[in-house]
Amino acid sequence: MAKTKVQYEYNMHCLSEILYEYLASAEGLSEWFADDVVERGDDFFFSWGGGPAERATLIRYKPESFVRFRWEEDEGTKYFFELSIVIDEITDDLSLNITDFCEPGDEEENKLYWENLIENLQIKLGAA
C-alpha cells in the first residue's frame, strides 16, 4: 500500500547553525530524536529504549539547510524523511519543515509523534 506524504512546519527560535547540528549529527540527533544514535559513514543507527537499532541512510543534505534520510525498510522506494531549515526572507524567522511518509490513516498519529519530537528539540535548544 502506498504511503501518504505529510509535511509540518515548526517555528524555531535559535540560530540555523546550531539547529543544523541537531539535525545532521549522531550526537545532536541523540539529544532529541532517539535514545542512541550511531553514525557510520552515511548510515545512522537509531535505537529507542534499549531496543534493536534501526538504520536510516543519509541520502541528501545541504549544510545548514536540510538533511534527508531513508529508513532501511524504505530502500528502493521514493519514501524518506527530511528536516529542512527555512528562514523567512522578510522577517528572518526560522522554521523547521519536516517532510515524512506514513501509512494511510496514520496521519494524526504521525503528526503527534513529530510534535513530541520537536517539543523535545525546542527544549534542548532553549527555543521553546
Side-chain angles (χ1 to χ4, degrees), residues 4-10 12 22-23 29 32-34 46 48 67 69 71 80-84 96-102 106-122:
T4 302
K5 184 178 186 176
V6 291
Q7 295 181 295
Y8 312 108
E9 180 177 343
Y10 300 95
M12 304 296 285
Y22 278 83
L23 307 180
L29 286 162
W32 67 279
F33 188 80
F46 299 91
W48 294 267
V67 291
F69 293 94
W71 291 111
F80 59 87
F81 70 96
E82 182 175 283
L83 310 168
S84 60
L96 175 60
N97 292 0
I98 296 170
T99 302
D100 194 9
F101 291 83
C102 65
D106 287 348
E107 294 87 356
E108 189 60 32
E109 183 179 332
N110 186 273
K111 181 179 179 185
L112 291 172
Y113 173 76
W114 280 108
E115 285 176 355
N116 286 333
L117 286 173
I118 299 308
E119 185 176 316
N120 289 340
L121 175 58
Q122 289 172 327

Side-chain angles (χ1 to χ4, degrees), residues 36-60:
D36 188 42
V37 182
V38 175
E39 182 179 354
R40 291 190 192 114
D42 287 339
D43 290 331
F44 287 69
F45 297 86
F46 299 91
S47 55
W48 294 267
E54 295 184 36
R55 180 173 63 86
T57 302
L58 180 64
I59 56 173
R60 289 188 67 198

Side-chain angles (χ1 to χ4, degrees), residues 14 17-18 21 34 43 58 62 72 86 89 102 108 118:
C14 63
E17 299 86 1
I18 295 171
E21 287 303 310
D43 290 331
L58 180 64
K62 181 177 179 185
E72 182 174 20
V86 178
E89 292 179 12
C102 65
E108 189 60 32
I118 299 308

